[in-house]
Amino acid sequence: MTSELPEMRASDAERERVAERLRNAYAEGRLDMGEFEERLDLAYKARTQAELVPLVRDLPEAVTPAAGAVEGDWHGRVGRPATSKGAFAFWSGFGRRGKWSVARNFTAAVLQGGGDIDLRDADFEDREVVIRCFAVMGGIQVVVPPDLHVEVTGQGFMGGFDDRGAGAGTPGSPRVRITGFALMGGVDVRRKERKSSRKQLRK
């Protein structure tokens, strides 16, 4: 007799644990970008635990991090009220640096100007953040830390939308998608160590 009991619903915490295993697998080279993005999308859309299991069936079990491991670096930095939802520059420039909180939907635009968006010390309104960058005859530079999950899907026409900063983050990292359009201009996404990390390395 076939069981008529409903499948167990997946929780947000279970979806996030699967997402972290996928990020680790991508960082270790077990998944290519296409496989990683497909599985990650399915993980966040999963409604039941049964839908999550096949996504990590062929991947090693997650190792529980020691106290003070990387997850702690994101503790308290997600869920902060946004301090900025956008920026615009015309024949001038703008900057978002240091300690600030990124809105879940942030839009930046420059027209014959320039902009700097630095996420290394930023907080995040949500675990899923979309940054839209539009550069017309100007440039926007987005600086991200090495441990942040970043996806770049923007396009350039007679300009460039550089995705060198794209890549998987560490467990607990927010998911930041950078998209938009560059016309006779450029959007540059690059990874840099935090200033505090560089000081520690020097010491």
Side-chain angles (χ1 to χ4, degrees):
M1 179 176 177
T2 305
S3 174
E4 297 180 358
L5 291 176
E7 292 183 334
M8 188 68 69
R9 289 278 179 165
S11 67
D12 287 341
E14 289 168 332
R15 280 186 281 268
E16 188 56 39
R17 280 196 292 271
V18 169
E20 288 172 8
R21 284 181 66 182
L22 293 172
R23 291 187 188 107
N24 290 337
Y26 172 71
E28 293 168 354
R30 299 179 191 274
L31 298 174
D32 62 30
M33 176 62 82
E35 292 173 317
F36 168 68
E37 290 180 343
E38 182 182 358
R39 293 193 192 193
L40 192 64
D41 186 56
L42 291 172
Y44 282 114
K45 290 180 179 177
R47 291 181 299 171
T48 66
Q49 293 177 351
E51 291 176 79
L52 292 172
V53 172
L55 302 178
V56 292
R57 183 177 287 143
D58 58 347
L59 301 176
E61 290 290 334
V63 178
T64 303
V70 202
E71 284 180 328
D73 294 343
W74 296 110
H75 180 70
R77 294 182 59 187
V78 178
R80 298 283 188 175
T83 59
S84 181
K85 295 184 178 181
F88 176 73
F90 174 55
W91 286 4
S92 59
F94 72 79
R96 296 292 184 272
R97 309 179 189 90
K99 201 64 178 174
W100 65 294
S101 185
V102 191
R104 62 174 58 89
N105 289 294
F106 182 92
T107 301
V110 296
L111 175 59
Q112 297 186 35
D116 291 311
I117 302 172
D118 194 331
L119 303 181
R120 289 177 293 177
D121 295 313
D123 294 329
F124 299 85
E125 184 181 21
D126 202 343
R127 189 166 294 281
E128 299 277 335
V129 169
V130 177
I131 298 178
R132 298 179 179 88
C133 296
F134 301 96
V136 179
M137 299 177 67
I140 298 175
Q141 177 174 273
V142 184
V143 179
V144 301
D147 53 349
L148 181 66
H149 178 83
V150 179
E151 302 170 14
V152 181
T153 59
Q155 301 292 326
F157 179 73
M158 297 179 67
F161 211 110
D162 197 331
D163 63 352
R164 285 178 294 177
T170 56
S173 161
R175 184 184 183 190
V176 177
R177 183 162 63 91
I178 302 173
T179 186
F181 186 72
L183 174 63
M184 299 177 67
V187 176
D188 182 26
V189 183
R190 62 178 61 187
R191 291 185 182 266
K192 288 184 180 179
E193 290 284 351
R194 295 181 178 88
K195 293 180 181 178
S196 57
S197 300
R198 291 205 300 266
K199 289 179 182 177
Q200 291 176 356
L201 287 172
R202 289 193 189 103
K203 290 180 181 179

